[in-house]
Structure formats: C-alpha cells, structure tokens
C-alpha cells in the first residue's frame, strides 16, 4: 500500500511518522523536500519516501491520500486530485472546509463520486474521552476549560474564521464533534464570540457538558466531573507538544490503525454533523 501526503506542515510532522507504519512508500512533492530535511526526526524515514514533481507519473501508485491543508483549500485540492488519482480513502483534516455550507457541498460531491473519506477528529482516542464514556450515565456534570495561548508565529489562517480557523472552527470543532458523537444535542446556553466559545448542552439522561474555550496568555486544559478535577494539562492531549516530540503522532497512529482498512463513510451521519456544527457557530 502506498500513500500520498499533501501538506508540508502537520502533514509532515504529524501524519508522516504514523502513515509510514501502514505504507510501503510515501509520495511527497519535491517542494516539501527542504522542510522535510530540516526536521531531524523525519530523516530516518527517507528510505520510504518517493519524491515527485508531476502527479501524472504517480496516477496508478496511490492507495491512500492524506490532506493536511487549510480547510478553505481542501475542496479544490480534492477535486483536482481526482482528475488523476483513484484512492481508496481520503484522510482529511478538520474542519473539512472553511464553513458548514461549503463542507456540505464537499460531502455531497464525495458521496456522488463514491469517494470514502475520514476526518481527523482525534479526541475520541484520548484518556479523558474514554473517561467520559465510562462515566456517562445519568445527571453527570462534565466541565471542560481550555485556555489557548495565541502564538503570533503560528500560521495566521488558524485565527481567521473565513479561512476555516478561529476559536470555533479550528479549536471548538473538536468538541462539537465530541458532543455530536455522544448524542449530546440539547443546547441550554451558548456564548460565542471571537475570543470565547462557551456552551452548555445536555442529553436525554440529563448529563450536562459545560465547555469553555478562550484565547489566553497561557495554555491550560482542565477537566471536571461533578465539580471534581480529574485531568489537568497544558492542552487536551495531556502532554507537552514540542517540535521533536509531538504526542499527536501516537494518537494519529491509533486513528489510522482503526480506520485505514475497514472505514466506511457514513455520508448522512457526516451531513447531520454539519447541521449540528452550524447551530454552534457564533
């Protein structure tokens, strides 16, 4: 099995170390070579990398495609790739496009063309998500606070709502998916601005979720159940993220392992998720 990765940022340092475990060869565009070689932790994978300049030369060689690009660009990238490739599955970054409406158009396009896809919502592979599932019964009160430090060195699109960034579309989208998968649908309160995403939702069994995301001068993640703190870290992945030690790599490995061979896209489910996302926009 061979894979193609589109994206020289998270595609390289996030996905490549995991995709390598499931691929004979990984195809990368020559324009990524400088960034690849600048990261010492990636050089050990060099033997499995095939560099290409013209996509016409790899049309019959790709089984899986990872796209880790700006949400606003993913739709056009997919449409262009499908002129040349017939992959078994697309792995897309979240959100799949820059707003719910365009994302819906993309899903309809993929469904019409019978293209399977999976989106990288990684929270379901974390310990505190498993803790929720274990303790979700009746009248349980879950509370999550996530303070996100604004990094001016980050790609500016991550803070640009129209590009698919911003507090709701880049960060809170993880929790919107979490709530949707857990069937927490009743919206009791929402206070959503450019710098704050605070919602309270509940389910039919009166389990409630109060989730508060804010931009801040520090990174902090806290998780409570019935007012008792159970998890605390600088981020939801519960480990420090550094250039050469990113805990998301292991999580992506689990995500790919669970989906790469037997994943069956549920298009209607994904469409309903987009409707739910739209309700939790500002």
């Amino acid at each position: 099995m061979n894979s193609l990765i589109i994206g020289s940022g998270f595609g390289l340092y996030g996905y490549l170390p995991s995709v390598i475990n499931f691929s004979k060869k990984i195809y990368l565009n020559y324009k990524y070579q400088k960034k690849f070689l600048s990261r010492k932790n990636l050089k050990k994978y060099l033997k499995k990398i095939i560099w290409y300049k013209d996509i016409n030369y790899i049309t019959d060689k790709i089984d899986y495609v990872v796209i880790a690009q700006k949400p606003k660009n993913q739709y056009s990238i997919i449409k262009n790739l499908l002129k040349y490739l017939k992959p078994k599955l697309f792995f897309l970054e979240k959100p799949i496009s820059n707003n719910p409406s365009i994302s819906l158009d993309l899903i309809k396009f993929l469904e019409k063309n019978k293209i399977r896809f999976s989106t990288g919502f990684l929270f379901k592979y974390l310990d505190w998500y498993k803790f929720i599932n274990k303790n979700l019964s009746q009248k349980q009160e879950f509370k999550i606070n996530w303070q996100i430090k604004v990094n001016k060195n980050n790609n500016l699109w991550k803070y640009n709502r129209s590009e698919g960034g911003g507090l709701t579309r880049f960060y809170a989208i993880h929790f919107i998916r979490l709530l949707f998968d857990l069937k927490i649908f009743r919206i009791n309160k929402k206070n959503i601005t450019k710098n704050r995403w605070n919602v309270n939702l509940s389910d039919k069994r009166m389990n409630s979720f109060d989730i508060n995301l804010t931009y801040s001068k520090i990174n902090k993640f806290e998780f409570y159940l019935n007012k008792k703190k159970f998890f605390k870290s600088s981020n939801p992945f519960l480990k420090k993220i550094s250039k050469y030690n990113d805990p998301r790599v292991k999580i992506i490995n689990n995500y790919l392992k669970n989906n790469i061979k037997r994943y069956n896209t549920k298009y209607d489910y994904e469409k309903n998720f987009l409707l739910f996302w739209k309700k939790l926009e500002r």
Side-chain angles (χ1 to χ4, degrees), residues 268-282:
D268 288 339
Y269 188 81
E270 297 299 333
K271 291 175 191 175
N272 287 331
F273 164 66
L274 297 180
L275 296 175
F276 186 63
W277 167 16
K278 193 172 183 179
K279 291 179 181 178
L280 292 171
E281 284 265 301
R282 63 181 172 91

Side-chain angles (χ1 to χ4, degrees), residues 215-229:
Y215 287 133
S216 176
K217 294 181 179 180
I218 62 171
N219 288 312
K220 185 194 290 188
F221 177 82
E222 297 175 320
F223 178 100
Y224 298 82
L225 172 59
N226 299 327
K227 299 181 180 180
K228 181 179 179 181
K229 187 185 295 183

